[in-house]
Amino acid sequence: MNELHELDATAQSAALRSGEVTSVELVRHHLDRIEAHGATLGAFVTVTAEQALERAAAADQRIASGDAPPFAGVPTAFKDLTFTRGVPTSMGSAGMRDFVPDLNAYVVDLVEAAGFISLGKTNTPEFGLSSYTDNDVIGPARTPWDPTRNAGGSSGGAAAAVSAGLVPVAQGSDGGGSIRIPASACGIFGFKPSRGRVSAGPAGSDWSGLAGDGPLTRTVRDAAALLDAMAHPEPGDVRPLPEPAVPYAEWARRAPRRMRIARWSQTHLDGVSPGPDAVEAWESASRLLESLGHEVVDVDNPFPRELEPQFNVIWSSGIASAAIPEEVEPLLRANTRYWRDRGRASTAIELTRALQFLELTTRQVVTNLQAYDAFLTPTLALPPQPVGWFNESSDPIEDHRRELLFTPYTALYNMSGQPAASLPLHWTAEGLPVGVMLAALPGQDGPLFSLCAQVEQAAPWHDRRPPGFD
């Protein structure tokens, strides 16, 4: 058998059931890897080793009794934005490092009900605001492909952990690209589901329609299985989608029908263009899709540039309305204060107009795209960037400008509510991962999984691992 951390979660589950390994052994193996590599990568804020080993022992008993959920005993981790009962949840903020929720996010309950065992909380920027991961709690998360470079954000710790084999799968959240950005920077697969696919309950809110939880994995089948665990609406959800009639794991095993795929590489932002590595990755993916029998059609970027300022009104209003304790305010990073100040300057009328503009505009975009089954763009405009590149100026305005240079594509699908995935199909001459993004029409998560699985089969990436972490 391969090294335990070389197995994806589906294979680890099979090994547990066949008796090749126990959950205690599997959890200890991954805890040892976290101890060896976690600090180097800035992957984990909190490690819950004792709790994980206790749960692993209980999982072994359930497996032996024949009464175990499908992923009983398999390690995972939750993002440090996600409420976990009795476990510190800093939200990437030094002022919140002692905050311990007294309840779980619903997604935590669902993932644990599938049998997964959390090894701790993964690194995130303060309140998940940035497309890179850095904070005053433990510092930056780094991509295992070059630890001098940032892992991306805001699920950067989760992506680094999966990429380096510290856990086989991890939960992330995505309000502007926060699953797909670090997936690209860390050379793994990341899937943002359709709006309403995963509940924000019981304490979270989907008031803006931008954010949702999803999987970060090394294989498409693991992402499908983890989303199967997550995709159950909670009573009272504002915009719930029904549970899928066909499990996503089944979609990942199905060959897709021939698809008509629209592609574009130009951005909707003035003065922002993809770099040569992003274009090369996108062109290569286009040829691969054509070789698989799909029709790939060039179109202009259908999203208008006017979306960006309206998105910023909503984004800044969200962090401005966050109930941050008064004593924490002086400890906030400059970037967080910048966005809170922007949000406080917006009126209720401006926020309402921004929400309506996004809804009406993206509805028309989706209407205009009905002739296509899928959409191909770069995930990011640039490869992973040096750790200090985004905030080296200490100017939040320049920080934001550089974030737009880095990630001009991902937030559009948060605005439209479409499912989108980053696939690790390309590496630069220097060995840095560069993802490409495939998206589908709203609600078409299943067919998108089929397409991604077909691409993975044609151009496998699972065995490509960052040097020094094998």
Side-chain angles (χ1 to χ4, degrees):
M1 186 172 69
N2 294 339
E3 288 280 351
L4 293 175
H5 61 273
E6 295 177 355
L7 303 175
D8 71 352
T10 302
Q12 288 185 16
S13 175
L16 285 164
R17 276 161 175 70
S18 69
E20 295 176 74
V21 66
T22 68
S23 180
V24 169
E25 291 169 338
L26 190 62
V27 165
R28 278 185 176 147
H29 177 83
H30 286 86
L31 287 171
D32 287 344
R33 289 186 63 78
I34 292 172
E35 185 171 353
H37 303 297
T40 299
L41 297 175
F44 278 83
V45 177
T46 301
V47 179
T48 53
E50 184 176 342
Q51 179 189 83
L53 288 168
E54 290 175 358
R55 293 183 176 181
D60 284 332
Q61 292 179 349
R62 292 194 69 182
I63 293 169
S65 72
D67 178 32
F71 287 92
V74 176
T76 190
F78 294 107
K79 187 174 178 179
D80 209 32
L81 289 181
T82 305
F83 276 28
T84 43
R85 183 188 301 112
V87 178
T89 301
S90 74
M91 293 181 260
S93 177
M96 301 290 289
R97 67 170 75 239
D98 297 324
F99 173 63
V100 179
D102 58 5
L103 51 75
N104 280 336
Y106 186 45
V107 72
V108 171
D109 287 336
L110 292 171
V111 170
E112 290 183 342
F116 288 100
I117 295 173
S118 176
L119 306 191
K121 305 302 292 293
T122 56
N123 200 5
T124 185
E126 192 164 56
F127 301 107
L129 284 175
S130 303
S131 60
Y132 60 95
T133 297
D134 195 2
N135 56 44
D136 294 332
V137 181
I138 65 165
R142 303 165 186 267
T143 175
W145 293 92
D146 179 354
T148 70
R149 295 173 183 261
N150 199 278
S154 64
S155 306
V162 171
S163 178
L166 310 188
V167 289
V169 298
Q171 169 263 349
S173 56
D174 191 319
S178 290
I179 287 172
R180 293 156 290 153
I181 295 165
S184 179
C186 292
I188 62 171
F189 182 73
F191 192 95
K192 182 199 84 69
S194 291
R195 177 179 294 143
R197 184 65 72 197
V198 179
S199 173
S205 172
D206 190 24
W207 69 274
S208 70
L210 295 176
D213 294 287
L216 287 145
T217 65
R218 292 200 300 274
T219 61
V220 175
R221 69 177 184 176
D222 273 3
L226 188 53
L227 186 55
D228 278 330
M230 295 177 173
H232 304 284
E234 185 177 32
D237 284 345
V238 174
R239 44 173 72 86
L241 291 178
E243 296 188 16
V246 176
Y248 295 124
E250 173 60 30
W251 278 106
R253 290 190 289 267
R254 292 183 177 182
R257 62 182 173 83
R258 184 175 188 266
M259 291 189 176
R260 193 163 188 248
I261 301 172
R263 73 165 199 161
W264 62 88
S265 65
Q266 75 272 31
T267 80
H268 70 300
L269 301 173
D270 291 337
V272 179
S273 301
D277 293 307
V279 173
E280 184 178 352
W282 173 75
E283 293 281 16
S284 177
S286 300
R287 293 190 294 270
L288 176 59
L289 289 163
E290 288 179 326
S291 75
L292 294 171
H294 302 291
E295 180 187 6
V296 179
V297 181
D298 285 298
V299 302
D300 290 334
N301 189 326
F303 293 91
R305 61 182 176 82
E306 290 81 8
L307 283 167
E308 180 64 23
Q310 303 305 320
F311 174 86
N312 289 335
V313 170
I314 299 167
W315 189 257
S316 60
S317 296
I319 185 58
S321 67
I324 297 173
E326 185 176 344
E327 64 272 16
V328 171
E329 290 276 354
L331 302 176
L332 297 178
R333 288 167 70 95
N335 196 46
T336 305
R337 294 197 302 273
Y338 165 77
W339 284 107
R340 279 174 70 79
D341 288 344
R342 283 190 66 167
R344 288 170 177 143
S346 297
T347 67
I349 292 174
E350 288 169 334
L351 175 59
T352 302
R353 285 176 176 167
L355 288 165
Q356 291 174 337
F357 184 86
L358 257 64
E359 179 180 349
L360 297 174
T361 303
T362 58
R363 178 187 289 136
Q364 188 59 54
V365 168
V366 169
T367 299
N368 294 342
L369 293 175
Q370 291 297 304
Y372 303 99
D373 304 296
F375 314 98
L376 174 69
T377 70
T379 304
L380 300 172
L382 301 171
Q385 292 299 296
V387 164
W389 181 74
F390 293 96
N391 55 11
E392 63 187 358
S393 71
S394 300
D395 178 0
I397 296 176
E398 174 63 13
D399 181 300
H400 180 48
R401 187 186 76 85
R402 294 192 181 193
E403 289 193 69
L404 293 179
L405 294 175
F406 182 57
T407 179
Y409 302 101
T410 55
L412 295 170
Y413 293 128
N414 298 86
M415 300 184 216
S416 65
Q418 295 172 248
S422 181
L423 291 74
L425 290 177
H426 186 78
W427 275 258
T428 70
E430 296 77 27
L432 297 173
V434 177
V436 297
M437 187 160 56
L438 280 169
L441 293 168
Q444 297 301 300
D445 307 56
L448 182 57
F449 270 120
S450 292
L451 179 61
C452 291
Q454 183 190 45
V455 171
E456 178 187 34
Q457 185 176 15
W461 59 72
H462 175 254
D463 290 333
R464 185 161 188 171
R465 299 177 178 279
F469 295 93
D470 48 11

